[in-house]
Amino acid sequence: MSHCKPKVTVRENGEEVCTDLCTYIANCATEAVANHGAFFIGLSGGSLANTLAKGLPLIETDWSKWRVFFCDERHVPFDNADSTYRVYKEGLFAKVPLSDKHVFKIKPDITVEAAALDYAKQMKDAFGEDCDWPIFDLLLLGMGPDGHTCSLFPTHPLLEEETVWVAPINDSPKPPPSRITMTFPVINRAKHSAFAACGDSKASMVQRVLEGDEKPPLPAAMVQSCEVCWFLDKAAASLLTAKL
């Protein structure tokens, strides 16, 4: 795992960020399919879901090769408004020829601990039984106002998890409290990770994550995949001091 400096792209507005991000995703998909015949991608919720729902239906890609996981998921029924799967099913999956059997979902009707174990098993089955750690082609990550990413929150013990692929959390400081999340050993083995952030409200945290030197580091600053890309609009990048 390399610890490369994140690549930062700044665009005028959210529409341009969406276009750039979705072009990047399409390129990652093409590269992955050429290399090993499938595209393993992890999705995150929040504002990112709305961005992807707008941009991804417009890209050129072989959807039959996509294998879609969720970087984290709320432990709620699929008809609950908090379900990330529901947001993508209604906003994106209904618009593209992606087979439901290639979308890997949690089981919300079992305990969150059992759901985490089951999701790790689904991952193991998809990547192959001989896989020690999954290597995702691309993880699309979000960043919360406290600097969290996935369901990995500042100072939480899960930041130190080193043995499991998927962990349960029952004490999320952001509701709903019960979730599952990929762990950093999985996140940091990904070939590519990408964040997208737009708006003035993101500017302070973007600056802290990309230019700060906080101890302990904010979770979003702990992402050290082979390539980490940030797609920002001018408002979100407004407090960065480095020349971009």
Side-chain angles (χ1 to χ4, degrees):
M1 291 177 285
S2 66
H3 294 204
C4 299
K5 185 178 179 181
K7 298 179 180 179
V8 180
T9 301
V10 180
R11 294 294 182 232
E12 192 70 31
N13 53 48
E15 287 187 8
E16 292 183 8
V17 169
C18 176
T19 299
D20 271 17
L21 175 62
C22 291
T23 298
Y24 179 76
I25 295 167
N27 290 340
C28 287
T30 299
E31 173 190 275
V33 172
N35 285 344
H36 53 85
F39 178 45
F40 288 86
I41 182 173
L43 304 179
S44 298
S47 58
L48 178 67
N50 297 323
T51 299
L52 298 179
K54 292 177 185 173
L56 283 185
L58 306 177
I59 69 171
E60 292 287 331
T61 190
D62 183 350
W63 290 100
S64 71
K65 304 296 187 185
W66 284 49
R67 305 294 182 266
V68 178
F69 290 82
F70 295 93
C71 299
D72 67 327
E73 176 61 289
R74 291 81 174 265
H75 188 247
V76 296
F78 293 144
D79 60 0
N80 188 296
D82 284 327
S83 167
T84 299
Y85 168 69
R86 173 184 172 171
V87 172
Y88 277 102
K89 182 181 180 183
E90 296 176 354
L92 175 62
F93 302 155
K95 302 175 184 176
V96 298
L98 178 65
S99 170
D100 192 57
K101 70 179 181 180
H102 292 154
V103 178
F104 297 84
K105 307 173 283 291
I106 71 163
K107 292 181 179 174
D109 54 348
I110 56 180
T111 68
V112 69
E113 291 81 9
L117 288 170
D118 176 79
Y119 207 63
K121 184 180 184 305
Q122 291 187 56
M123 218 175 270
K124 188 87 169 177
D125 291 344
F127 278 90
E129 282 298 320
D130 58 346
C131 173
D132 291 328
W133 288 95
I135 298 178
F136 278 87
D137 297 301
L138 174 61
L139 297 180
L140 297 173
L141 302 170
M143 178 191 67
D146 59 354
H148 82 264
T149 192
C150 298
S151 285
L152 299 165
F153 294 90
T155 73
H156 196 280
L158 281 183
L159 297 181
E160 307 297 327
E161 176 58 57
E162 295 181 349
T163 58
V164 302
W165 296 9
V166 181
I169 177 170
N170 273 310
D171 56 352
S172 165
K174 181 180 179 181
S178 294
R179 301 152 174 250
I180 66 150
T181 183
M182 291 183 186
T183 59
F184 272 118
V186 173
I187 295 167
N188 288 339
R189 281 175 169 81
K191 293 176 183 174
H192 306 274
S193 291
F195 290 86
C198 297
D200 294 324
S201 66
K202 297 283 190 178
S204 175
M205 189 53 67
V206 164
Q207 192 277 330
R208 288 173 63 186
V209 168
L210 289 177
E211 296 183 344
D213 188 25
E214 300 185 29
K215 299 290 187 259
L218 292 162
M222 295 172 63
V223 175
Q224 296 172 340
S225 308
C226 294
E227 179 182 75
V228 182
C229 293
W230 284 74
F231 295 86
L232 309 172
D233 70 353
K234 281 190 172 181
S238 61
L239 299 181
L240 293 176
T241 58
K243 297 286 185 184
L244 300 174

